[in-house]
C-alpha cells in the first residue's frame, strides 16, 4: 500500500463564503484539508459537496478555544465579516479576532506550521490616503460600532507580527478588500448581495448615503488564487499584502450595473450613511503584483453575472 504524503492544511472559518472556496481550491491542489467552523455565520451547505472527499474533514469548533491538531499550514479566516453578523455580538467578534489569533498562532508555534491571517481593508478605517498602500497606518475609530471588527483585526495583525519577531514563526498577512461571488449569504448586509437580492425580488435598492462613496470589488476566484500564492511565497515575504481588485466604482454605479443585468422595476432609495462607513476604498496592489505575480482577472461585469446566476438559483428553491 502506497502511503500518501499530502500537505495537511487547516482552514478556520472554512464553511464561510471565502473559506469554502479556499477548501475547494486546496483539495484541487492535492492537500488534505481540515475545515473548522463554529457556524455562527458559516453554513454547512457551503461545504456539503466536499464531505464525500476522503481528504476533507469538517469540525465544529470555536477558535476562541485552543485546538490540538497536527497540520503543516493554517489559513486563519475565522471571523464574521459582514456588519450585520459582527455587530450582533461585538464582544464575541473581538474575541474571535484576538483570542482566535492567539490560539492559532500557538498551534502554529507548536506544530511549526506556516500561518496566514485573513486581515481586512477595514484596518485602514475611513482613509485619508487614496488608494490605500500597506504602509498607511489607517484612520480607525477605536470606540465605534464597527470597532469590534476593525480593531479586532488590527490587534490580530499585531499578534502575528509579534509572534514572527519573538518566535520566528512563518507568518503571512493578507489585507482583503471587498470580495464577492457565489456562496455569499443573501442576508449578510453586504452591498453586492444586498443589491442583487433586492433586484431579484423586485424590491427597492437601498443605497446608504448619496451613492458617491467608492468600493473595489474582487471576484472570489481571484481572491482565493491570491491567498494561495501568498501562502506559497518565500519565507521573507510576511506582509501585510493588499489583496483586492483596484478597479474602483461608486456604490451608485454598482446599483445601476446590477439593475441592468437583473432587469425589473426596482427603484433606487437613498438612506442615511451608517456610522464610520468609509467614503473611499481602493487597494494599491503593487506589492502583490511585484512579489506574487498576482492581480485579479475577473472584471465586475463577468463577476456580477456569475453571482446573479447563483442568487437566482438559491432564491428560486
Amino acid at each position: 500500500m502506497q502511503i500518501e504524503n499530502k500537505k495537511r492544511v487547516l482552514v478556520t472559518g472554512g464553511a464561510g463564503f471565502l473559506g469554502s472556496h479556499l477548501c475547494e481550491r486546496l483539495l484541487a491542489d492535492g492537500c488534505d484539508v481540515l475545515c473548522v467552523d463554529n457556524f455562527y455565520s458559516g453554513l454547512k451547505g457551503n461545504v456539503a459537496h466536499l464531505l464525500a472527499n476522503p481528504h476533507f474533514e469538517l469540525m465544529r469548533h470555536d477558535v476562541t478555544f485552543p485546538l490540538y491538531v497536527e497540520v503543516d499550514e493554517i489559513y486563519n479566516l475565522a471571523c464574521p465579516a459582514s456588519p450585520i453578523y459582527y455587530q450582533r455580538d461585538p464582544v464575541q467578534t473581538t474575541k474571535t479576532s484576538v483570542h482566535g489569533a492567539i490560539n492559532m498562532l500557538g498551534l502554529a508555534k507548536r506544530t511549526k506550521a506556516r500561518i496566514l491571517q485573513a486581515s481586512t481593508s477595514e484596518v485602514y478605517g475611513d482613509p485619508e490616503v487614496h488608494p490605500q498602500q500597506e504602509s498607511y497606518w489607517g484612520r480607525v475609530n477605536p470606540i465605534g460600532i464597527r470597532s469590534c471588527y476593525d480593531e479586532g483585526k488590527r490587534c490580530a495583525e499585531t499578534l502575528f507580527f509579534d509572534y514572527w519577531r519573538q518566535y520566528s514563526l512563518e507568518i503571512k498577512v493578507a489585507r482583503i478588500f471587498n470580495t464577492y461571488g457565489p456562496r455569499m449569504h443573501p442576508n449578510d448586509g453586504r452591498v453586492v448581495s444586498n443589491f442583487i437580492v433586492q433586484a431579484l425580488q423586485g424590491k427597492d435598492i437601498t443605497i446608504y448615503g448619496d451613492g458617491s462613496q467608492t468600493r473595489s470589488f474582487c471576484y472570489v476566484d481571484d481572491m482565493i488564487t491570491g491567498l494561495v500564492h501568498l501562502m506559497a511565497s518565500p519565507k521573507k515575504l510576511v506582509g501585510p499584502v493588499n489583496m483586492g481588485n483596484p478597479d474602483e466604482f461608486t456604490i451608485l454605479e454598482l446599483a445601476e450595473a446590477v439593475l441592468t443585468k437583473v432587469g425589473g422595476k426596482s427603484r433606487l432609495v437613498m438612506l442615511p450613511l451608517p456610522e464610520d462607513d468609509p467614503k473611499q476604498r481602493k487597494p494599491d496592489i503593487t506589492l502583490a503584483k511585484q512579489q506574487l505575480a498576482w492581480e485579479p482577472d475577473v472584471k465586475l461585469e463577468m463577476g456580477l453575472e456569475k453571482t446573479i446566476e447563483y442568487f437566482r438559483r438559491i432564491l428560486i428553491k
Side-chain angles (χ1 to χ4, degrees), residues 183-257:
R183 293 190 211 133
M184 294 184 82
H185 196 290
N187 301 318
D188 70 1
R190 290 192 249 195
V191 66
V192 173
S193 51
N194 260 10
F195 287 177
I196 292 174
V197 170
Q198 288 170 341
L200 287 172
Q201 294 177 338
K203 297 178 179 177
D204 291 341
I205 304 262
T206 52
I207 295 176
Y208 295 95
D210 61 6
S212 64
Q213 65 269 41
T214 66
R215 295 291 184 272
S216 302
F217 302 101
C218 187
Y219 189 65
V220 62
D221 291 354
D222 284 333
M223 181 58 66
I224 296 305
T225 297
L227 294 177
V228 170
H229 282 200
L230 179 57
M231 180 64 96
S233 65
K235 181 179 177 180
K236 64 181 181 180
L237 178 64
V238 297
V241 178
N242 283 341
M243 300 220 144
N245 192 319
D247 293 342
E248 187 178 15
F249 299 89
T250 67
I251 297 301
L252 189 57
E253 286 172 334
L254 174 68
E256 290 169 344

Side-chain angles (χ1 to χ4, degrees), residues 121-122 124-132 136 139 146 177-178 212-216 248-251 273 276-283:
S121 61
E122 298 302 325
Y124 297 122
D126 191 3
E128 302 151 303
V129 172
H130 193 74
Q132 291 80 58
Y136 177 53
R139 178 171 172 260
R146 298 169 68 104
F177 283 67
N178 292 59
S212 64
Q213 65 269 41
T214 66
R215 295 291 184 272
S216 302
E248 187 178 15
F249 299 89
T250 67
I251 297 301
L273 196 65
D276 297 329
D277 194 60
K279 310 298 186 299
Q280 292 178 305
R281 189 67 91 225
K282 177 182 176 177

Side-chain angles (χ1 to χ4, degrees), residues 9 18 26 34 49 90-91 111 139 157 199 210 270 273 280:
V9 185
L18 273 182
L26 293 171
L34 172 59
H49 63 295
V91 172
T111 59
R139 178 171 172 260
E157 285 196 16
D210 61 6
M270 308 295 183
L273 196 65
Q280 292 178 305

